[in-house]
Amino acid sequence: MLDYHIHTLPNGIRIVHKQVLHTKIAHSGFILDLGSRDEQPDQLGLAHFWEHMAFKGTAKRKSFHILNRLESVGGELNAYTTKEKLCFYSSVLDKHFEKSFELLTDITFHSIFPEKEIEKERGVILEEMAMYLDTPEEAIVDEFDNVVFDNHPLGNNILGTKESVSGFKKDDFQRFIKDNLSTEALVFCSVSNLPFEKVVKLAEKYLADIPTISKPRQRVAFENYTPKAVTFEKPISQAHCVIGCPAYALNDDRRIPFFMLVNLLGGPGMNSRLNLAVREKHGLVYTIDANYATYIDTGLLSIYFGTEKKQLKRTTSLVLKELKKLREKQLGSLQLHTAKEQLMGQLAMAEESNMGLMMMMGKSILDQGHIDTLNEIFDQIKNTTAQDLIDIANDVLREEKLSFLNYVPVNG
C-alpha cells in the first residue's frame, strides 16, 4: 500500500511525502503543473529554456555554487520539462536533505536569469536541438506529435524552434513565470526515511515567505483530429516509421485497460505481439514498440519501428495486421490472465524506484488530487474483461483513425 501524507501551506503549496525506512537516500523535488503546452506562439521552448536557466544563477548563488552544492556531497541535482510539467529535483544522503530542500527552493523561486548566462545556454540548447535532429528515432517520435496535434500547443516541440530559442531575453522568462506560476499548481514531493513532521517543518522554514500566487488557467483542449500520412526524405541509412492516433485522457476510466492493451501490443516485454510478429518471426526490425502518453484532455498512441527502406511497406502491413487481430479476435482466458499478470508485475517493479515513486506522487496530486495505491490500480486491471479490450481496440485502433509518419533514406 502507498502510505503518503499531504500538508498544504497557507500559500497553497502542497507537501507530499512518503516515509521509506529502509533507504538512506532522500529523493525530492518541485513539480509544477506547467509545460510546453502552456507557451504562447512567441514562447516556443521557453519552459525548457527556463529549466536550463534555473541552474544559472539566483539572487544569492552563481551557477558554480548551484552545481557544486549537492555534487560536493555526492548528491545529484537535475530537472526535466514535458508538455504539461516542469520539475526540479534532487537525490542526496538523508543527512543532506535540508541542504537539498533549500537549494531546490532557491532555483525554483529565485532564479535571476543573467543575460550572459542566457547567451551561453542558448548555444547549449541549440546544440541539444542539433543532437536530437541527428537521432532520427527520437526526432520522428517528437515530430509525430505535430502530425497528430497539428497546430495545437501539444504538437509543438518541447525544445522550441531555432528561431524562437535564438530570440529569448531575460524579460521573456520573467513574463512567462509571472503569467503561469501558481502556488496552487505546484507540489513539493519527497521519498525518504525522514518523518513527515520533519519535512513539514522544513517546508514551513523555506517556503513560508513564498507569496500566495493564484493563476486560474484553462488549457485549450485538443479537438478536430484529422488522420494524416506524411513522408520525409532524410540523409539516413534506415527507414523510420511512427503510426498512431489520439487516445484516452488521463482521467478517463478506460485509461488502465487501454494501457494494458498497448502493453500487450508493444510494451517492454520481449513477448509483445509486435516484437514476436515483426522481429522474432520475420527479422525486419531491431526495435519496435508501442507507447501511450496521457494528457489532461487527451492521449496519444504511438507505434515506432525502424527497418530497411525496401521493407517499410511490409513492416507497416504486419503492424496493421496485429492491430486488426486486437479488433477482431477476443483474448482467451489464459491470454487475458497473462496480460494482467505481466502489467501488474511491471508496475510493481516500477514502484521499487523511489525516485520514480516520488515523481509519480507529485504528478498524481497535480493531475488527480490523490494518489492511487498499487492495489487500487491492480483492481482496475483485474476487473478488465476481454470484452472491454476488444471494445477499446475497436474504438481507438481503427485503421481509418491512424496517422503515419515516415522518414526514408534519400537514396536506396
Side-chain angles (χ1 to χ4, degrees):
M1 297 295 290
L2 179 66
D3 297 316
Y4 65 93
H5 300 276
I6 298 181
H7 176 77
T8 304
L9 297 173
N11 56 17
I13 297 176
R14 284 167 288 181
I15 313 301
V16 187
H17 177 70
K18 177 176 174 63
Q19 186 177 28
V20 178
L21 296 176
H22 62 261
T23 183
K24 292 289 290 179
I25 303 300
H27 302 284
S28 62
F30 284 99
I31 301 184
L32 288 61
D33 192 28
L34 170 63
S36 62
R37 74 173 298 178
D38 302 305
E39 297 164 347
Q40 297 301 313
D42 62 342
Q43 297 176 327
L44 302 184
L46 194 53
H48 172 258
F49 206 143
W50 174 16
E51 171 207 320
H52 280 241
M53 289 304 302
F55 300 90
K56 300 304 174 182
T58 67
K60 65 179 180 180
R61 288 186 173 96
K62 294 186 181 297
S63 177
F64 171 78
H65 301 113
I66 293 171
L67 299 176
N68 192 55
R69 180 75 169 158
L70 300 186
E71 296 282 347
S72 63
V73 294
E76 296 178 356
L77 179 67
N78 213 330
Y80 68 80
T81 310
T82 69
K83 304 279 186 178
E84 295 185 336
K85 298 291 181 285
L86 180 61
C87 178
F88 304 106
Y89 63 96
S90 71
S91 300
V92 292
L93 281 170
D94 50 12
K95 65 180 180 180
H96 299 302
F97 177 73
E98 181 172 359
K99 183 179 288 189
S100 71
F101 198 153
E102 186 275 332
L103 181 63
L104 286 168
T105 301
D106 196 28
I107 66 172
T108 302
F109 297 101
H110 304 300
S111 291
I112 57 173
F113 307 104
E115 291 285 5
K116 287 185 178 180
E117 294 292 341
I118 291 174
E119 288 305 316
K120 284 193 291 185
E121 207 59 27
R122 196 190 317 277
V124 171
I125 293 174
L126 292 175
E127 286 301 316
E128 183 180 0
M129 284 183 181
M131 181 176 67
Y132 140 90
L133 290 172
D134 281 343
T135 313
E137 61 268 31
E138 293 183 13
I140 193 171
V141 172
D142 283 341
E143 190 160 357
F144 187 67
D145 289 352
N146 184 253
V147 170
V148 171
F149 296 122
D150 200 19
N151 293 319
H152 187 272
L154 283 172
N156 295 332
N157 193 302
I158 291 170
L159 297 180
T161 67
K162 184 176 181 180
E163 292 72 27
S164 63
V165 168
S166 296
F168 293 142
K169 302 295 182 183
K170 179 174 182 174
D171 60 348
D172 293 310
F173 296 96
Q174 294 171 331
R175 178 167 60 92
F176 183 68
I177 293 172
K178 182 180 179 182
D179 291 344
N180 290 281
L181 183 66
S182 174
T183 50
E184 297 172 348
L186 66 89
V187 168
F188 178 82
C189 46
S190 67
V191 174
S192 71
N193 62 21
L194 296 169
F196 181 56
E197 294 75 19
K198 171 71 171 176
V199 178
V200 170
K201 185 176 180 180
L202 290 174
E204 291 171 340
K205 177 179 179 180
Y206 291 112
L207 300 177
D209 291 340
I210 304 297
T212 301
I213 307 170
S214 181
K215 299 278 183 174
R217 177 186 59 211
Q218 187 67 42
R219 283 170 166 153
V220 178
F222 172 70
E223 51 190 15
N224 300 324
Y225 165 67
T226 302
K228 297 177 184 176
V230 182
T231 298
F232 293 110
E233 288 191 334
K234 301 274 185 178
I236 52 180
S237 58
Q238 183 186 41
H240 298 264
C241 176
V242 180
I243 304 169
C245 60
Y248 303 117
L250 182 68
N251 292 312
D252 195 298
D253 291 339
R254 295 164 292 182
R255 177 177 63 92
I256 294 298
F258 185 61
F259 184 53
M260 186 164 77
L261 194 68
V262 174
N263 196 60
L264 172 70
L265 177 67
M270 293 293 285
N271 65 340
S272 74
R273 289 194 173 191
L274 288 176
N275 194 69
L276 291 176
V278 183
R279 174 176 164 153
E280 296 301 322
K281 186 175 181 180
H282 295 284
L284 295 174
V285 302
Y286 178 73
T287 297
I288 184 166
D289 54 47
N291 288 285
Y292 170 36
T294 57
Y295 304 107
I296 202 68
D297 56 333
T298 188
L300 178 65
L301 165 71
S302 58
I303 299 165
Y304 163 80
F305 64 84
T307 189
E308 286 186 86
K309 182 179 180 179
K310 65 182 181 180
Q311 300 290 2
L312 178 59
K313 186 175 180 180
R314 183 184 178 201
T315 307
T316 300
S317 295
L318 288 171
V319 171
L320 296 179
K321 183 178 179 181
E322 289 305 314
L323 297 181
K324 185 178 181 181
K325 286 181 184 178
L326 289 175
R327 295 195 307 268
E328 296 182 351
K329 189 173 182 181
Q330 187 166 292
L331 296 186
S333 57
L334 180 58
Q335 291 175 314
L336 180 62
H337 175 76
T338 301
K340 291 179 178 180
E341 289 295 317
Q342 183 172 25
L343 181 56
M344 288 189 290
Q346 290 171 351
L347 292 173
M349 284 192 284
E351 196 167 286
E352 285 287 298
S353 164
N354 287 337
M355 168 71 81
L357 180 61
M358 179 270 291
M359 292 181 178
M360 181 276 290
M361 287 176 14
K363 288 186 285 187
S364 295
I365 291 297
L366 288 172
D367 290 332
Q368 303 172 183
H370 67 275
I371 302 169
D372 291 328
T373 67
L374 205 54
N375 283 343
E376 289 170 334
I377 297 172
F378 282 2
D379 284 343
Q380 294 180 61
I381 295 171
K382 291 174 183 176
N383 291 331
T384 299
T385 67
Q387 187 62 48
D388 292 332
L389 295 180
I390 204 167
D391 288 345
I392 287 171
N394 279 282
D395 182 36
V396 181
L397 305 181
R398 301 199 310 272
E399 193 166 328
E400 66 271 19
K401 288 185 66 174
L402 299 174
S403 286
F404 300 79
L405 175 59
N406 297 311
Y407 285 178
V408 296
V410 176
N411 301 307

